[in-house]
Amino acid sequence: MPEFHPSQTEAIEHNKGPMMVLAGPGSGKTTVITHRVKYLIEHYGVDPSRILVITFTRAAAREMKERFEKLMEAASDVAVGKGAAADSAQTEKDAAAGPTRSGYAAARVSFGTFHSVFFTILKYAYRYQASNIVREEQRTGFLREMVEKLDLEIEDEKEFISLVLGEISFVKSEMLDLNHYYSQNCSEEIFKKLYQGYEERMRRANLLDFDDMLVMCHQLFTERKDILEAWRQKFQYILVDEFQDINKVQYEIVRMLAKPEDNLFIVGDDDQSVYRFRGSKPEIMLGFPKDYPEAKTVLLGVNYRSSMEIVETASRLIRNNRKRFDKKLEAARGHGKPVMTCASRDPQAETIRIVEEIRDYVRAGYRLEDIAILYRTNLNPRLMVEKLMEYNIPFTMKDALPNLYEHWISGNVLAYINAAGGDLGRGNILQIINRPNRYISRDALEETKVSWNAVKSFYQDKGWMVERIEQLEYDLLMLKNMPPAAAVNYIRKAVGYDDYIKEYARFRRLKPEELLEILDQLQESAAGFKTVEAWFDHMEEYKKKLREQAQAQQDKAEGVSLMTMHGSKGLEFSIVYILDANEGITPHRKAVLDADLEEERRMFYVAMTRAKERLHVCYALERYGKKQDVSRFVEEYQNKARPAGR
């Protein structure tokens, strides 16, 4: 058996009953899980087919299974080597006993996601097939039908549908009463109709979504004790990876399955729970010792990934969370370089500094693939991407970067500028005519090319409407020869587009700052160009580069890794940059409740602990011409007191 830390050995050699393994970042949790399964089979004689290992993604389940199979193959090779030197009859006898039949054992252990395991259970009970699982485009289509049926005027329909689908998932996974759910994206009445319409379409098509699998499995086990008992006999040892990400219904089902022996082995880190928006609850892990008073707890407190400076700095930050297990972490790598906290004048200066430092790292012998740039949301890295393109530094992105210039808000602003430049096509004018609302009917725009005289003629008996149209004509005339940044500012302030956005945010139950930031970014981009033509050329070039980037992503291109803090979970890099460590960005302005702030802090902690050797935390002193506050998280890991009222 390889040499393990005593805490790892204790977890690996655990036999019966519940155990909670608190696995700090880089502490070797996958190693512990795979070796424990091997130990159960080889030392406690557990039938491999009675072991279930659950994780959250197919990729993680596949990796876990592959690592376990390699482990068993290595054990088999050792056994064969020993056997060659021993009496052949004794070797045959040992082989017949079973423990060395490693390939056979590996194939019989069940590795899967919650959804794959629970769907298997439903498949046996109800004869469901893979064709009964709804595709994502079908879910989107069902909800789009409901949006059209209810005649909802949603500007950002794609994003709205995605958010509502997330809420539907949350309601199901938490087993909430729909009548008592307060939607974050629309009125309760509209959400209820969208939810019920979606469910009705799903049932009519005999389809299941992932949350249905969980809810139906819970109902099945509740109502059919005979079926529950059969699966209890099947899975007598249950191991759950990334337990901090579990939701209510998943936990309830796992608890049912584990009874009465409660051979439940959970591995996770409450400090890395960052999926509350999906229904994950760190409170479940925190409550595990109460649910299982007899459970043993082991802390994997040695970080084999990061330097001592990174581990200690990240620990100072996370200790500011109140709802957590107290842990003392050590760094196996020893001392390294101090964590660098870098203030820049503005985001432009921040990106230039990072790009130049990346070039220095490459000259010092690091590969681009050793470097990651992490950010809070996909809105943050636009300037960074443009600067990497400018310096011709290759990069990869885990998620597709949304194109700022294709956002519906940008589309409205650009439609104003195009109209001022002479584009009076009906499609272009429809984008601006009632943004802000001028109460002009679509019927007044009959021709393919709009004539303002014809529109005024349509309202000839309504003087106040004619005045509104004339004001719009005047605004377009004023915009005609303005440089890009001045034009964007005029549309926002003089035309009143900012006010329109604030009104729309109220309707959508959004914080107006979220939408106004799109306008700030657009104005920031425009400021770099003297003419509209040059700015539009830049947009086309940027769009082309993003397409090339998306293609390169498919071709497994190499370069600096750019990803959100969420997307970085589970990964590691020699050098990590955290972008925009400013209040309102991280923690995000949406985070107002204590639980939200603690989740934001956990997210920052996850980002910090991706770094092995060098960690740079960057923030700007000014953004969009306004003074910016450094993130409270920076002050916390630096052990600085925060000023009152912040």
Side-chain angles (χ1 to χ4, degrees):
M1 191 170 180
E3 190 174 324
F4 294 111
H5 187 274
S7 61
Q8 291 178 320
T9 301
E10 184 181 353
I12 290 167
E13 296 182 358
H14 175 70
N15 186 6
K16 293 181 177 293
M19 172 174 271
M20 176 172 66
V21 179
L22 298 174
S27 60
K29 67 182 180 65
T30 303
T31 298
V32 165
I33 292 171
T34 51
H35 276 84
R36 183 187 181 235
V37 175
K38 179 174 179 284
Y39 205 87
L40 285 173
I41 295 166
E42 294 186 345
H43 291 266
Y44 296 129
V46 176
D47 183 339
S49 67
R50 299 211 164 166
I51 301 173
L52 172 63
V53 181
I54 308 177
T55 189
F56 279 82
T57 67
R58 279 181 293 184
R62 186 167 55 248
E63 182 195 354
M64 190 85 71
K65 184 177 182 181
E66 287 171 357
R67 285 182 62 171
F68 176 67
E69 286 173 347
K70 286 177 183 174
L71 188 63
M72 297 304 280
E73 284 168 14
S76 181
D77 291 343
V78 170
V80 169
K82 286 180 179 176
D87 178 78
S88 61
Q90 182 61 42
T91 304
E92 288 177 15
K93 183 179 176 184
D94 290 343
T100 60
R101 300 176 65 191
S102 305
Y104 177 64
R108 296 176 69 207
V109 176
S110 296
F111 291 87
T113 64
F114 278 102
H115 294 116
S116 67
V117 171
F118 296 164
F119 182 68
T120 299
I121 292 168
L122 294 178
K123 188 165 67 172
Y124 281 103
Y126 300 124
R127 302 293 189 267
Y128 280 120
Q129 300 299 320
S131 58
N132 295 114
I133 301 174
V134 70
R135 299 189 307 275
E136 195 59 32
E137 62 267 25
Q138 288 176 297
R139 298 179 75 218
T140 302
F142 292 159
L143 215 55
R144 186 172 289 115
E145 285 176 20
M146 290 304 303
V147 168
E148 291 172 3
K149 186 177 178 182
L150 295 172
D151 198 25
L152 300 177
E153 290 188 16
I154 306 294
E155 302 286 359
D156 51 337
E157 186 183 85
K158 186 177 178 182
E159 183 180 353
F160 174 75
I161 287 173
S162 174
L163 291 169
V164 170
L165 283 173
E167 288 197 278
I168 289 172
S169 176
F170 181 77
V171 169
K172 288 184 181 184
S173 64
E174 287 296 295
M175 298 185 284
L176 300 175
D177 184 340
L178 185 60
N179 294 313
H180 300 139
Y181 179 70
Y182 180 83
S183 173
Q184 295 180 332
N185 292 288
C186 54
S187 71
E188 281 63 64
E189 180 186 0
I190 288 174
F191 180 76
K192 193 172 182 180
K193 287 178 179 176
L194 291 171
Y195 183 100
Q196 291 171 337
Y198 169 81
E199 285 292 274
E200 195 271 330
R201 286 291 282 111
M202 289 283 289
R203 298 293 83 82
R204 229 167 52 210
N206 194 28
L207 293 171
L208 302 172
D209 61 25
F210 287 149
D211 300 292
D212 290 328
M213 294 178 199
L214 309 184
V215 173
M216 290 178 69
C217 195
H218 185 272
Q219 289 174 340
L220 177 68
F221 282 174
T222 302
E223 295 166 6
R224 292 290 303 272
K225 300 301 180 188
D226 55 330
I227 293 176
L228 172 59
E229 185 56 36
W231 286 102
R232 281 175 176 167
Q233 290 300 316
K234 165 70 176 165
F235 297 129
Q236 293 190 332
Y237 285 80
I238 301 174
L239 298 85
V240 183
D241 186 26
E242 301 285 7
F243 188 81
Q244 76 278 351
D245 294 333
I246 203 165
N247 66 32
K248 182 179 178 182
V249 67
Q250 290 166 341
Y251 184 49
E252 292 295 331
I253 297 170
V254 166
R255 292 196 71 190
M256 287 186 197
L257 268 177
K259 291 182 184 301
E261 286 93 349
D262 289 333
N263 293 325
L264 185 55
F265 184 87
I266 68 162
V267 182
D269 182 5
D270 55 302
D271 289 334
Q272 296 187 68
S273 177
V274 294
Y275 293 116
R276 280 181 71 243
F277 65 95
R278 291 185 193 166
S280 302
K281 289 193 166 185
E283 294 87 349
I284 294 174
M285 189 167 192
L286 291 168
F288 191 82
K290 291 180 183 176
D291 292 336
Y292 295 93
E294 73 280 20
K296 294 180 180 176
T297 299
V298 174
L299 169 64
L300 304 184
V302 179
N303 183 315
Y304 296 94
R305 173 190 301 152
S306 308
S307 69
M308 186 179 296
E309 285 75 9
I310 292 169
V311 171
E312 289 180 351
T313 304
S315 295
R316 281 199 300 274
L317 169 76
I318 202 63
R319 279 198 290 269
N320 287 274
N321 272 5
R322 294 188 180 91
K323 294 183 178 178
R324 62 183 293 267
F325 291 114
D326 191 31
K327 311 174 190 74
K328 178 161 179 56
L329 303 181
E330 303 169 16
R333 290 174 65 109
H335 284 286
K337 300 287 186 181
V339 172
M340 298 298 294
T341 305
C342 313
S344 298
R345 182 183 68 255
D346 54 29
Q348 287 89 343
E350 180 181 72
T351 56
I352 291 170
R353 166 187 240 156
I354 292 172
V355 166
E356 289 178 346
E357 286 182 6
I358 287 172
R359 295 170 85 180
D360 289 341
Y361 275 125
V362 171
R363 282 192 283 267
Y366 285 96
R367 300 175 309 140
L368 291 174
E369 293 73 36
D370 296 329
I371 304 170
I373 300 172
L374 310 182
Y375 37 85
R376 176 62 183 84
T377 75
N378 270 328
L379 277 178
N380 298 130
R382 179 186 59 83
L383 280 174
M384 190 76 249
V385 166
E386 291 185 349
K387 194 58 65 178
L388 289 169
M389 288 175 177
E390 181 187 327
Y391 278 66
N392 201 26
I393 295 176
F395 63 93
T396 63
M397 299 190 72
K398 194 169 182 180
D399 304 302
L401 180 69
N403 188 343
L404 167 71
Y405 308 115
E406 292 179 348
H407 194 283
W408 66 270
I409 290 176
S410 299
N412 289 173
V413 173
L414 299 178
Y416 268 106
I417 293 172
N418 284 327
D423 182 358
L424 299 181
R426 187 172 187 269
N428 190 62
I429 298 303
L430 280 173
Q431 286 198 67
I432 67 172
I433 198 71
N434 285 314
R435 296 169 182 152
N437 204 341
R438 300 177 179 90
Y439 302 96
I440 297 173
S441 169
R442 294 171 75 96
D443 295 338
L445 309 175
E446 293 180 334
E447 303 300 322
T448 307
K449 185 173 182 179
V450 172
S451 161
W452 296 122
N453 287 333
V455 178
K456 285 185 280 190
S457 177
F458 184 88
Y459 287 109
Q460 60 185 337
D461 57 340
K462 295 179 176 142
W464 69 92
M465 290 298 293
V466 172
E467 284 180 20
R468 287 174 183 169
I469 297 160
E470 288 176 343
Q471 179 64 52
L472 177 55
E473 283 186 279
Y474 173 80
D475 288 333
L476 294 177
L477 185 64
M478 293 295 292
L479 285 167
K480 188 172 183 180
N481 295 312
M482 284 186 182
V488 175
N489 191 58
Y490 186 89
I491 293 163
R492 296 182 65 177
K493 309 302 181 187
V495 175
Y497 191 78
D498 273 15
D499 292 333
Y500 163 74
I501 287 298
K502 290 171 186 173
E503 184 60 38
Y504 181 75
R506 278 193 290 274
F507 163 67
R508 276 290 321 281
R509 293 187 171 177
L510 299 169
K511 286 185 176 292
E513 294 86 2
E514 293 175 44
L515 302 182
L516 291 172
E517 185 174 356
I518 300 294
L519 290 163
D520 286 337
Q521 287 207 13
L522 195 65
Q523 196 162 347
E524 178 183 64
S525 170
F529 301 89
K530 293 180 179 177
T531 67
V532 167
E533 291 75 22
W535 189 33
F536 280 23
D537 287 344
H538 165 75
M539 290 181 204
E540 281 303 311
E541 180 64 18
Y542 184 68
K543 183 178 179 180
K544 178 185 167 189
K545 292 278 189 182
L546 283 184
R547 275 200 307 267
E548 290 173 0
Q549 170 60 31
Q551 182 59 48
Q553 197 71 10
Q554 292 179 0
D555 299 338
K556 305 277 189 206
E558 299 176 341
V560 177
S561 294
L562 273 68
M563 65 188 74
T564 62
M565 295 177 180
H566 275 115
S568 72
K569 193 163 174 283
L571 303 177
E572 59 181 43
F573 302 90
S574 297
I575 301 155
V576 168
Y577 284 88
I578 296 178
L579 274 187
D580 302 328
N582 288 99
E583 285 290 300
I585 296 176
T586 177
H588 197 273
R589 64 177 66 88
K590 279 184 179 177
V592 289
L593 303 175
D594 286 346
D596 297 328
L597 282 169
E598 294 216 344
E599 172 119 334
E600 291 284 321
R601 191 176 285 109
R602 289 193 294 269
M603 213 175 307
F604 204 90
Y605 175 75
V606 165
M608 294 178 78
T609 53
R610 299 312 92 197
K612 294 195 287 186
E613 299 174 25
R614 302 300 304 269
L615 173 61
H616 300 259
V617 180
C618 309
Y619 65 94
L621 300 172
E622 184 182 284
R623 185 183 305 273
Y624 313 130
K626 301 170 190 168
K627 182 179 176 296
Q628 298 290 298
D629 290 325
V630 62
S631 170
R632 68 190 70 191
F633 300 152
V634 172
E635 295 171 341
E636 288 170 359
Y637 74 62
Q638 291 180 332
N639 272 341
K640 292 181 180 177
R642 287 171 51 72
R646 270 184 54 198

